[in-house]
Amino acid sequence: MSTGEVIWGKEGWPGPEFSENAKRAVEDSQLRRNVRKATGTIRERRAGLVAETPDWQELRHAGAAIKDDVLHHLDDYLEQFERNATARGAHVHWARDAREATQIVTSLVQATGHKEVIKVKSMATQEIGLVKALESQGIVAHETDLAEMIIQLSNDRPSHIVVPALHRNRAEIRQIFREHMPDAPKDLTDDPLALAEAARLHLRRLFLKTPVAVSGANFAIAETGGLLVAESEGNGRMCLTLPETLITVVGIEKLIPTFRDLEVFLQLLPRSSTGERMNPYNSVWTGVTENDGPQQAHIVILDNGRTNALKDQIGRQALRCIRCAACLNVCPVYERTGGHAYGATYPGPIGAILTPLLVGVENAPQLPFASSLCGACYEVCPVEIDIPTVLVKLRHDAVKAERHKAQDATFAAAASAMSGRRRWTAALKLAPLLRFLKHGAPPPLSGWTRTRDLPDPPKQSFREWWTKR
Ligand code: SF4
């Protein structure tokens, strides 16, 4: 599915129409095949690894408890992190929103005098629209994660948190490389090894010539002031060690109290995200070390709606999220629509709750309804986020925020009809008229029938049947 068909929101935030996007997505059989195959493979691998981990449920409880502790004492942990990171030579910056964060990163890059940066895959930088913001100031940011690179070369958007190009198959990737990667071999085939080699050679040149890198972080350790990036390809390790300047954008919820807490998360994350026992590369760095790695380390700590989410007593558990995408891989809605339909940075079940919590449910009223409430997301979530409960709460908020006169009038009429026997009997006589609405009601009722079939009214009411007998 090309992104041109999707209704996107501003800077990656939700467009207004999940249902419109979803309707188009489910008609794209190639997209559905690609998504089903990729999510099915990861799902099976994850299930096998969870089955062989006897203390999986205890690990989940521990992950949730550590994150809840952070959320309850966020102010203390943030200050502790800043103190320790600064003591080890890093520069800490605070950003209230996307605009502040992109301005900080842009001025840090400008201060280096360079016009190109290499990037580690990061949801936070996507959330703030960093690549576009840098581009508008004449700075080129090269994505170095293979899937992100495919997305960037084809001017596409990520459709999955962990596997951003999961909606693309290898024939499409070959085509993208041939059209948009100037140093791709002329005889490039769609053999995965050949595609990986072409990408590797292309990226290696970038790693060696670019002295500024931008990253996110999976975890920020309050006790030490250190950061951790977990990844599979080694591109992250290159970006985190080769350049002279490293700028890291990290959400306030990424904190964990101690280094030892990694013991829990480094078991939960790889099993849940890529279906591996451990991530091939876990890079941890703390400030700067003389003559070893980047000599300038900047950390931009990002709010961008997170304190709003924290205010919501039921919704705040979404801030436990470690972005493993296990909830996407089991979601029957995501499997049919893919990630673009959500029209926002975070797709799938976590996106359906996190986006409205970050931007306000009035700005993303459709997303809490992008779910069948089957509960599969809760069962697999490694930090026990009760997504269905948050969805129901946000639906309530969305309905409250969206209440309009037609809806109020409809419910007032229904309440009046149901409040007396005679009125109810009279109302039932109008039931056959519902048949005319079967193939779509006029506005404003069309909002309801657009995604639902109106059931046929019964031929007679219970009272009529009873009286006849
Ligand atoms: S909500 Fe849970 S399952 Fe979904 S991405 Fe976040 S941590 Fe993973």
Side-chain angles (χ1 to χ4, degrees), residues 24-155:
R24 273 192 293 269
V26 293
E27 282 161 13
D28 185 337
S29 53
Q30 179 65 48
L31 170 81
R32 286 213 317 274
R33 256 196 309 278
N34 293 351
V35 175
R36 193 168 52 236
K37 186 163 184 299
T39 54
T41 309
I42 307 175
R43 213 161 48 214
E44 263 175 46
R45 285 213 307 250
R46 176 206 164 271
L49 290 173
V50 167
E52 67 169 35
T53 312
D55 57 349
W56 183 251
Q57 294 309 330
E58 285 76 14
L59 281 169
R60 289 179 77 212
H61 298 331
I66 294 167
K67 282 288 186 174
D68 278 350
D69 173 45
V70 168
L71 296 177
H72 283 127
H73 305 100
L74 194 53
D75 47 351
D76 293 337
Y77 285 125
L78 282 168
E79 285 179 6
Q80 190 189 0
F81 176 80
E82 181 185 31
R83 262 195 319 276
N84 289 327
T86 308
R88 291 294 302 268
H91 302 275
V92 175
H93 312 259
W94 299 86
R96 268 173 296 208
D97 53 27
R99 196 177 54 84
E100 278 189 10
T102 52
Q103 277 174 356
I104 293 167
V105 178
T106 305
S107 54
L108 290 172
V109 177
Q110 283 167 339
T112 68
H114 293 285
K115 293 276 184 200
E116 286 182 68
V117 302
I118 42 177
K119 257 195 92 253
V120 187
K121 176 181 166 352
S122 140
M123 294 307 294
T125 56
Q126 231 156 64
E127 180 189 316
I128 61 174
L130 183 63
V131 172
K132 284 242 153 56
L134 290 172
E135 203 179 274
S136 71
Q137 299 304 311
I139 299 163
V140 181
H142 300 281
E143 295 285 359
T144 63
D145 171 87
L146 176 56
E148 287 287 356
M149 189 183 92
I150 293 164
I151 297 291
Q152 187 175 38
L153 287 174
S154 55
N155 200 20

Side-chain angles (χ1 to χ4, degrees), residues 161 321-328 350 377 380-383 385 387:
I161 292 175
C321 177
I322 55 171
R323 311 281 190 267
C324 71
C327 56
L328 277 63
I350 182 59
C377 47
V380 296
C381 178
V383 283
I385 300 173
I387 294 176

Side-chain angles (χ1 to χ4, degrees), residues 173-354:
I173 293 167
R174 168 181 172 253
Q175 197 58 27
I176 292 166
F177 280 8
R178 284 170 62 136
E179 282 172 16
H180 304 286
M181 204 164 76
D183 46 1
K186 296 274 170 293
D187 56 351
L188 183 66
T189 66
D190 66 359
D191 173 27
L193 286 179
L195 293 172
E197 184 61 10
R200 199 175 286 130
L201 291 172
H202 172 75
L203 288 171
R204 197 55 62 107
R205 282 186 271 274
L206 285 176
F207 292 137
L208 293 175
K209 72 167 192 170
T210 315
V212 186
V214 176
S215 82
N218 295 86
F219 302 102
I221 307 153
E223 176 189 48
T224 63
L227 296 155
L228 181 142
V229 164
E231 39 115 18
S232 304
E233 297 170 14
N235 65 301
R237 179 73 54 89
M238 293 282 198
C239 292
L240 300 171
T241 52
L242 289 178
E244 293 154 13
T245 303
L246 173 59
I247 304 164
T248 305
V249 182
V250 59
I252 54 174
E253 83 288 12
K254 293 285 168 165
L255 281 167
I256 55 170
T258 67
F259 191 83
R260 186 151 184 206
D261 295 322
L262 289 173
E263 175 187 340
V264 172
F265 292 107
L266 294 188
Q267 293 187 70
L268 289 172
L269 182 60
R271 285 172 172 79
S272 302
S273 59
T274 45
E276 294 169 300
R277 289 191 186 91
M278 68 179 285
N279 294 104
Y281 296 89
N282 289 306
S283 303
V284 188
W285 73 102
T286 310
V288 291
T289 306
E290 208 183 332
N291 298 326
D292 185 7
Q295 296 301 292
Q296 286 287 321
H298 295 273
I299 305 165
V300 182
I301 300 181
L302 177 72
D303 183 332
N304 207 30
R306 285 157 176 77
T307 45
N308 280 344
L310 196 59
K311 281 188 218 148
D312 187 314
Q313 288 195 7
I314 295 174
R316 68 169 61 129
Q317 57 186 303
L319 296 177
R320 289 185 205 147
C321 177
I322 55 171
R323 311 281 190 267
C324 71
C327 56
L328 277 63
N329 300 332
V330 296
C331 177
V333 175
Y334 179 87
E335 186 173 299
R336 282 155 186 83
T337 65
H340 288 165
Y342 295 79
T345 305
Y346 299 100
I350 182 59
I353 60 170
L354 188 60

